[in-house]
Amino acid sequence: GYLGLEVAAESKGISVRRVLAGSPAARAGVKPGDRLQSLVRGTQPPVTLATLADSEKAAGAVPAGETVHLQLL
């Protein structure tokens, strides 16, 4: 799925580097510097986003148009 984020791995986890204008992440108020903790789809358990591979896999599994919730630090 498309969230509209550019992220990077850091010692403390996954950090948002850039939020693309007009993207779902921008509309949700995600800001550069936020750290991704997990992604939640509906009633499924949260998916921990500890690595770039985790974030790519989790976002890629989301069908277009589906609402997700990001837990940020």
Side-chain angles (χ1 to χ4, degrees), residues 49-61:
L49 305 175
T51 66
L52 286 177
D54 292 341
S55 65
E56 290 169 359
K57 182 178 178 182

Side-chain angles (χ1 to χ4, degrees), residues 22-69:
S23 69
R27 290 191 298 275
V30 178
K31 294 179 177 40
D34 286 344
R35 287 186 289 139
L36 303 181
Q37 181 178 19
S38 64
L39 181 143
V40 181
R41 294 178 59 195
T43 59
Q44 297 180 12
V47 175
T48 300
L49 305 175
T51 66
L52 286 177
D54 292 341
S55 65
E56 290 169 359
K57 182 178 178 182
V62 178
E66 181 176 318
T67 299
V68 299
H69 298 275

Side-chain angles (χ1 to χ4, degrees), residues 1-46:
Y2 172 72
L3 301 176
L5 297 173
E6 289 181 10
V7 297
E10 294 186 348
S11 61
K12 295 180 181 179
I14 305 300
S15 177
V16 175
R17 291 289 184 210
R18 182 174 164 218
V19 179
L20 304 177
S23 69
R27 290 191 298 275
V30 178
K31 294 179 177 40
D34 286 344
R35 287 186 289 139
L36 303 181
Q37 181 178 19
S38 64
L39 181 143
V40 181
R41 294 178 59 195
T43 59
Q44 297 180 12

